[in-house]
Amino acid sequence: VSGAQDPLFDDDAEHLHELAPCGFLTTKPDGTIINVNSTFLMLTGFQREDLVGRRRFADLLTGGGRIYHETHYAPMLSMHGRVREIALDIVCADGGRLPTLVNSVLERNAAGTPVLVRTAVFDATDRREYERELLRAKQRAEDSEARATALARTLQQTLIPPTPPHIPGLDVAALYRPAGSGEEVGGDFYDIFQVSGREWVVVIGDVCGKGVEAAVVTALVRHTLRALVVGHAGPGDALGILNDILLRHDTDRFCTVALLWLRCEDEAWTATASVGGHPMPLLLRPGSAPVALGIPGSLIGAFERPEFHDAELALVPGDSLVLYTDGVTEGRLGDEFFGDARMYDALTTNAAEPEGSAASMGSHLLEQVTTFQQGNPRDDIAIVVVQVPFSR
Amino acid sequence: MDVVARHSVKITGRPDGQPMVFAHGFGCDQHMWRYVAPRFEDEFKVIVFDHVGAGGSDLAAYDVERYSTLAGYADDVVQICRELDLHDVIFVGHSVSAMIGVLASLDAPELFDKLVLVGPSPRYIDDENYEGGFTEQDITELLDSLESNYLGWSSVMAPVIMGNSDRPELGADLTASFCRTDPEIARRFAGVTFLSDNRAELLQVQTPTLVLQCINDAIAPMAVGAFVHDAIAGSSMVLLNATGHCPNLSAPDETFDAIAAFVRT
């Protein structure tokens, strides 16, 4: 090869240093600049004599960049002997800002003492603008996610009564825990309302699916039941009409409902239950094993000819009725379900305590189910407990 | 979670020795003290730890409310001392941890025997008759700079950096997390640190105090060190012939000598 014609032959280390497509700085360990290449001077507008022996690298940075240099860059360089891809803004000779990406290596002598720092500085003007775009997009995405979560929570709150339930003469507690972190609207709902002077209705249910569309159906079901029951349909009749309405509604979604009608006559309470595809309410009578109250009925909104039955029971002081959604019994840990046995256990352990109020019974059950799922239930859980207090 | 795990507390040195607690500043973690703290082990009980959000601390323990002021960090220091049943503590705080130590000593003066403030600043932003060295715009630019520099932080890298990886070969280096943490936490800690003003608290310090000041500190300039020295009655100040804000890394010998002379008095 004839060197005279080959342009590569003329390229030497000096040219490579001076004209490299990035700025080069050599500094003492304290940052004092001892060498700088032409590219750096061109990028920043400084003269060589402005910098060499006069300025430290950190002096060329913005105030914020100087703090970053001292709190991150210098410690990392000292610890690891090199830093890479650090974004720093250099204040140019004319006061303008040059966004850069910076790599540095620390050279030590044989004794391990730092002797100099070599730094490469890349113009990152366009990249930084792109990064700002990314950050703005990320910010927008986070804002939008926060709004969606807030919306889901608001929507969820419309599916349960706004105030803690109260029925004069009974001890009532209702608990609701949405699945996961509560960012999605679940399908579980409950409602407790007065029908007439001494008549009250407790409803618990579950619309299949999650999200906004399920929430729309849940709202329809909850308010339809209120209207039907207040219009004096019996529990089973109300579920039958709800079935028709859901079948005719423009949705494929069906639901399950357990409805409890509570009447008080002469200080004595009677409960009439009707169930459509839902776990049946449990009766806990002190000293007896838990019993399911009611007769299983059809899923609601799925069949043309559903069957619903009313079952009536005279309540005595000390009785507790527990309504719950399948988030309780189908709470899972691996392949194992929480199941009926654990639920009975949680309820009876608590019922055995003389002070066991509706609230403590409900929260004990919720706590057991949540703990079983290591604190992170995958399905919504709704629990309503109605207790007839011992007379004082 | 217990306090020791929450702060990745490491205890070395003489079990019966007087305790020295070393606290790192904004940006890095307990490894900041690796060239200085071990040299006290033959005589003292040496405790290093990470502030919540830094290094090997439990990120899940980061509570936005608790850590919205330096008081939360100071309470952590008090909790660590109480949990480890430490008394007559010599607290050595670097950078913002100098002020955290000041606040802790005011909360629980009975725990502390001496304070060593390395590169302290009670207020970073200039004020009337006070030169902190920075403007509010500088701090805004710092927050920008933090965002730019944490683009590389991703959910993939985070577990590796934090050493919780399933691939131990990547997380093997204990210093891998050094100066790297969750960007959101870094941004908040930066805000809490650089917007703080603890000038009034300095006047209340009763614990014997040493101020260590680098001659060329870009974050805590000489005038600020002198302000701290003047404000804390009876304090002493030693100048370190070191450039930069981290003499514990750049001038460990001088840093050790100055602290050793003070703690042995």
Side-chain angles (χ1 to χ4, degrees):
Chain A
V1 176
S2 163
Q5 285 85 40
D6 187 348
L8 285 177
F9 195 79
D10 288 334
D11 199 21
D12 56 19
E14 185 56 27
H15 276 90
L16 177 62
H17 177 262
E18 281 300 317
L19 304 174
C22 65
F24 280 137
L25 288 167
T26 309
T27 72
K28 293 186 196 171
D30 72 0
T32 307
I33 296 168
I34 51 178
N35 197 0
V36 56
N37 73 348
S38 303
T39 311
F40 185 84
L41 298 172
M42 196 192 68
L43 285 172
T44 57
F46 285 111
Q47 301 297 312
R48 192 174 303 269
E49 52 273 22
D50 297 336
L51 302 179
V52 173
R54 287 169 173 269
R55 307 285 295 275
R56 285 191 303 262
F57 176 55
D59 298 338
L60 307 183
L61 305 176
T62 59
R66 231 161 43 235
I67 297 179
Y68 192 83
H69 181 276
E70 295 299 318
T71 55
H72 293 74
Y73 186 96
M76 277 195 286
L77 187 59
S78 167
M79 187 71 73
H80 299 306
R82 50 187 260 178
V83 288
R84 291 187 307 156
E85 288 188 62
I86 302 296
L88 293 169
D89 283 10
I90 289 176
V91 182
C92 298
D94 64 1
R97 307 288 159 94
L98 175 72
T100 64
L101 281 179
V102 177
N103 291 352
S104 290
V105 290
L106 176 66
E107 281 193 18
R108 297 176 187 270
N109 63 17
T113 310
V115 280
L116 53 83
V117 178
R118 296 189 193 282
T119 299
V121 178
F122 298 87
D123 181 354
T125 309
D126 293 345
R127 175 158 296 272
R128 195 69 54 79
E129 194 41 55
Y130 171 63
E131 287 171 357
R132 290 206 177 96
E133 279 301 324
L134 281 183
L135 283 172
R136 280 192 283 270
K138 179 167 167 278
Q139 188 67 44
R140 279 197 298 275
E142 284 168 359
D143 289 350
S144 145
E145 191 184 344
R147 273 199 303 277
T149 305
L151 194 62
R153 298 225 161 104
T154 309
L155 195 52
Q156 190 84 65
Q157 280 159 12
T158 68
L159 304 181
I160 56 177
T163 50
H166 174 66
I167 302 178
L170 292 178
D171 181 14
V172 186
L175 297 96
Y176 184 85
R177 190 199 189 288
S181 51
E183 277 153 21
E184 200 174 23
V185 195
D188 284 10
F189 69 96
Y190 67 84
D191 203 359
I192 297 167
F193 53 91
Q194 188 172 23
V195 180
S196 65
R198 300 247 58 190
E199 284 182 292
W200 296 75
V201 163
V202 178
V203 179
I204 195 163
D206 184 1
V207 171
C208 75
K210 290 185 189 307
V212 173
E213 205 201 321
V216 169
V217 176
T218 307
L220 171 74
V221 169
R222 183 172 161 226
H223 293 289
T224 300
L225 278 175
R226 271 198 176 217
L228 288 173
V229 168
V230 174
H232 298 291
D237 297 339
L239 297 187
I241 301 170
L242 177 65
N243 187 72
D244 284 350
I245 290 170
L246 270 193
L247 280 178
R248 284 183 216 129
H249 190 267
D250 185 23
T251 176
D252 295 338
R253 291 181 195 268
F254 45 87
C255 71
T256 70
V257 171
L259 198 157
L260 203 59
W261 195 305
L262 298 159
R263 285 186 315 279
C264 183
E265 280 170 29
D266 302 331
E267 305 277 303
W269 287 90
T270 309
T272 308
S274 194
V275 179
H278 197 87
M280 287 188 290
L282 284 180
L283 169 69
L284 284 98
R285 185 163 282 175
S288 309
V291 203
L293 170 63
I295 302 159
S298 310
L299 208 56
I300 298 170
F303 307 109
E304 288 290 348
R305 290 189 177 73
E307 288 197 21
F308 303 108
H309 313 277
D310 291 353
E312 199 174 287
L313 175 78
L315 299 176
V316 298
D319 280 356
S320 300
L321 289 166
V322 180
L323 294 86
Y324 60 95
T325 52
D326 60 8
V328 173
T329 42
E330 292 177 15
R332 278 174 71 162
L333 180 66
D335 290 338
E336 200 177 348
F337 289 106
F338 186 71
D340 290 344
R342 283 192 186 83
M343 178 174 65
Y344 294 161
D345 199 41
L347 289 170
T348 48
T349 319
N350 198 274
E353 294 171 19
E355 302 297 322
S357 64
S360 73
M361 190 180 265
S363 52
H364 183 65
L365 177 59
L366 180 61
E367 186 188 306
Q368 294 289 309
V369 181
T370 311
T371 309
F372 179 75
Q373 296 175 87
Q374 300 177 328
N376 189 23
R378 270 178 281 175
D379 198 3
D380 308 323
I381 299 168
I383 301 168
V384 178
V385 182
V386 178
Q387 206 172 68
V388 186
F390 290 102
S391 35
R392 288 172 202 146
Chain B
M1 169 166 253
D2 70 302
V3 174
V4 169
R6 188 176 76 191
H7 293 282
S8 191
V9 174
K10 306 280 185 323
I11 306 165
T12 54
R14 289 178 54 152
D16 58 343
Q18 186 179 6
M20 290 184 78
V21 175
F22 289 85
H24 68 86
F26 165 73
C28 296
D29 63 24
Q30 56 181 270
H31 292 99
M32 203 69 186
W33 289 109
R34 69 192 321 211
Y35 303 134
V36 174
R39 295 162 76 166
F40 288 95
E41 285 169 357
D42 54 353
E43 203 174 331
F44 294 87
K45 177 190 260 188
V46 171
I47 294 108
V48 292
F49 70 97
D50 293 329
H51 287 301
V52 168
S57 69
D58 178 21
L59 292 193
Y62 186 83
D63 178 287
V64 172
E65 185 66 27
R66 177 171 174 81
Y67 299 112
S68 64
T69 65
L70 292 183
Y73 292 93
D75 189 50
D76 280 354
V77 169
V78 171
Q79 281 186 15
I80 290 170
C81 293
R82 295 222 164 106
E83 174 75 22
L84 301 179
D85 198 23
L86 305 179
H87 304 280
D88 297 322
V89 173
I90 299 165
F91 180 89
V92 185
H94 176 225
S95 195
V96 67
S97 275
M99 282 307 123
I100 291 170
V102 163
L103 298 181
S105 81
L106 298 182
D107 285 350
E110 72 283 1
L111 293 178
F112 297 94
D113 178 46
K114 292 188 175 75
L115 294 177
V116 180
L117 313 181
V118 184
S121 173
R123 178 182 164 109
Y124 294 89
I125 296 178
D126 297 339
D127 194 17
E128 209 174 310
N129 301 323
Y130 175 85
E131 206 172 311
F134 295 93
T135 61
E136 281 183 37
Q137 195 206 334
D138 289 333
I139 305 308
T140 310
E141 283 176 343
L142 168 68
L143 300 183
D144 284 352
S145 165
L146 287 175
E147 292 208 320
S148 289
N149 279 303
Y150 283 110
L151 281 178
W153 175 276
S154 68
S155 51
V156 180
M157 277 308 288
V160 176
I161 291 166
M162 300 319 296
N164 298 327
S165 170
D166 297 335
R167 302 160 69 194
E169 72 279 7
L170 291 177
D173 183 3
L174 286 176
T175 62
S177 64
F178 190 63
C179 295
R180 302 188 75 160
T181 190
D182 181 287
E184 184 64 22
I185 295 178
R187 209 178 55 73
R188 288 182 188 277
F189 191 22
V192 171
T193 298
F194 293 102
L195 301 176
S196 64
D197 185 349
N198 297 105
R199 289 175 293 177
E201 283 81 355
L202 293 179
L203 301 171
Q204 304 165 29
V205 174
Q206 301 292 328
T207 311
T209 298
L210 168 68
V211 176
L212 285 190
Q213 174 68 45
C214 293
I215 52 166
N216 243 320
D217 187 334
I219 291 193
M222 286 280 258
V224 171
F227 180 94
V228 175
H229 173 44
D230 286 346
I232 300 180
S235 66
S236 48
M237 176 154 99
V238 170
L239 289 184
L240 298 176
N241 186 25
T243 294
H245 185 57
C246 303
N248 34 7
L249 287 179
S250 65
D253 292 346
E254 283 190 275
T255 307
F256 169 74
D257 290 345
I259 299 176
F262 175 67
V263 298
R264 286 178 184 143
T265 54

